[in-house]
Amino acid sequence: MPISLYILFVFSMIIPFQMVMFTMSKTANTLSLDNPLGIVLIYLGFGAGLSVFMLSGFVKSIPLEIEEAATIDGLSRGGIFVSVVIPLMVPALVAQGILTFSGQYNDYLTPLLYLGNNTDLFTVQLAINQMNSSYSVETHKLLAACVIALV
């Protein structure tokens, strides 16, 4: 990967979501991304910086001797990537998947901005917040929903 593209991905981690959230919500509404697929695309865009940073650091830590040995054994560059690099990357991919899933699962602000008042598409966190009304709170139902969300 060219160094300037890497720097662009790393720089994208510096900009907080709150800085661009209103502009992104206007753009998402204009492009009709106010649905679950649109939110997935937005999450992919904002999570790409950390993923590239973490996975490229892991790939850089793989010793070159392993790749040289695979070349001596007759593997092409694509074969080295598929047969050697990807199996070595499994722990980093699992760790990145867990970080991404837990971050997006616990997100409250992004679905609130993009889904608006469409209660059919609410995430668990938005549904729990909707159960909490200003006039009466059914604590037993609210706590049961929180336990289900934790599990």
Side-chain angles (χ1 to χ4, degrees), residues 129-138:
N129 186 45
Q130 188 180 21
M131 293 174 68
N132 189 10
S133 72
S134 59
Y135 298 111
S136 67
V137 177
E138 297 183 32

Side-chain angles (χ1 to χ4, degrees), residues 39-90:
I39 290 180
V40 168
L41 291 174
I42 291 167
Y43 279 142
L44 286 174
F46 277 102
L50 178 64
S51 298
V52 167
F53 180 71
M54 186 173 164
L55 294 175
S56 67
F58 187 82
V59 169
K60 288 176 186 175
S61 72
I62 296 174
L64 288 176
E65 290 80 12
I66 295 175
E67 295 178 24
E68 291 171 356
T71 304
I72 291 171
D73 288 342
L75 284 176
S76 64
R77 291 187 66 78
I80 292 171
F81 185 72
V82 170
S83 300
V84 176
V85 176
I86 289 181
L88 290 174
M89 285 181 61
V90 169

Side-chain angles (χ1 to χ4, degrees), residues 100-147:
T100 302
F101 177 77
S102 65
Q104 307 317 329
Y105 181 79
N106 291 321
D107 191 15
Y108 177 80
L109 183 61
T110 305
L112 182 65
L113 281 173
Y114 296 114
L115 295 179
N117 294 326
N118 191 354
T119 57
D120 295 336
L121 300 176
F122 271 7
T123 60
V124 175
Q125 285 73 21
L126 292 176
I128 288 173
N129 186 45
Q130 188 180 21
M131 293 174 68
N132 189 10
S133 72
S134 59
Y135 298 111
S136 67
V137 177
E138 297 183 32
T139 310
H140 59 285
K141 291 181 182 179
L142 187 64
L143 291 177
C146 289
V147 169

